[in-house]
Amino acid sequence: MQLLISLVIGVVLLSGVEGSKCPSVVTPMCHKLNAAAYKGLWYEQTHSKDFIWDFGCKCTTADYTIKSTDPLLISVNNSCTGKKSGKRIINIGKAKANATASGECALEVAFYGNFYGPYLVLDTDYKTYSIVVSCLPGLENYVSDIWILARQRQLPKPKLNMLISKLKTMGFDYSDVVYTEQTGCQ
């Protein structure tokens, strides 16, 4: 079963070769994650097209709860509402500090057993927005998933556009951006 899960995840990761891309050098603006300020509920504003977990969903959220501070362990509760079914879909995961990226806001996140993937808080003000990237080595550039999260259900359009522009200025290819529907939510 573990082999099957690994194969499925590998295929999903490789399918992202045409999706969002990280620059060859990623320079985060966030340093030393303040987990106490980051915890809580975030509303997904955008995600990469190839991120398939919330395909066909709206009202996507991520809720982070600190389980331990030394070492840092965080419970991750991702949820969304199926557009057709209207039912809430929940995906529970876990995150831990990325030991190889000291001084950065870098975590490793797992939703399926102990298969951890990179989760870098590229930039956040902790109060209104967070830009998160997951950069994986690809064939040409770095294949990535990118999310923009907010503390409110919908960021004002000018603020969201500014964050997308910031990604482009930093060298990210986010041409496959998908805007998350956050209307009609309960």
Side-chain angles (χ1 to χ4, degrees):
M1 182 65 167
Q2 189 80 338
L3 177 60
L4 177 61
I5 291 171
S6 296
L7 286 171
V8 169
I9 291 171
V11 168
V12 168
L13 293 176
L14 289 175
S15 71
V17 172
E18 296 301 319
S20 299
K21 299 242 184 341
C22 290
S24 57
V25 176
V26 176
T27 307
M29 299 177 78
C30 180
H31 303 284
K32 295 195 177 190
L33 181 68
N34 180 343
Y38 197 76
K39 73 178 182 180
L41 185 63
W42 291 92
Y43 298 92
E44 183 184 271
Q45 304 298 296
T46 67
H47 66 269
S48 300
K49 180 180 176 184
D50 285 344
F51 183 68
I52 61 170
W53 178 79
D54 57 358
F55 178 78
C57 281
K58 66 178 191 170
C59 307
T60 304
T61 62
D63 196 359
Y64 303 100
T65 306
I66 299 172
K67 295 295 183 187
S68 167
T69 56
D70 191 18
L72 180 61
L73 298 172
I74 298 172
S75 173
V76 181
N77 180 341
N78 286 350
S79 62
C80 67
T81 301
K83 288 181 182 179
K84 290 184 180 179
S85 71
K87 293 183 181 178
R88 202 75 181 146
I89 301 163
I90 298 171
N91 196 6
I92 304 290
K94 57 191 173 186
K96 63 182 181 179
N98 182 333
T100 62
S102 63
E104 295 178 2
C105 296
L107 300 171
E108 295 175 313
V109 179
F111 287 94
Y112 309 103
N114 287 319
F115 181 80
Y116 282 88
Y119 181 102
L120 176 65
V121 179
L122 186 71
D123 189 21
T124 186
D125 68 357
Y126 297 100
K127 295 176 187 158
T128 60
Y129 76 92
S130 180
I131 301 173
V132 178
V133 299
S134 180
C135 299
L136 298 168
L139 299 174
E140 300 167 12
N141 230 335
Y142 282 92
V143 175
S144 67
D145 284 315
I146 301 171
W147 300 267
I148 296 177
L149 308 175
R151 290 292 191 184
Q152 63 190 71
R153 192 159 296 278
Q154 284 189 292
L155 275 176
K157 194 74 168 163
K159 177 76 169 185
L160 186 56
N161 289 340
M162 184 273 300
L163 295 172
I164 292 170
S165 292
K166 182 184 280 192
L167 281 162
K168 291 177 184 176
T169 300
M170 294 176 79
F172 288 86
D173 176 355
Y174 199 21
S175 57
D176 72 336
V177 62
V178 174
Y179 294 88
T180 305
E181 182 181 338
Q182 289 287 357
T183 57
C185 305
Q186 298 176 343

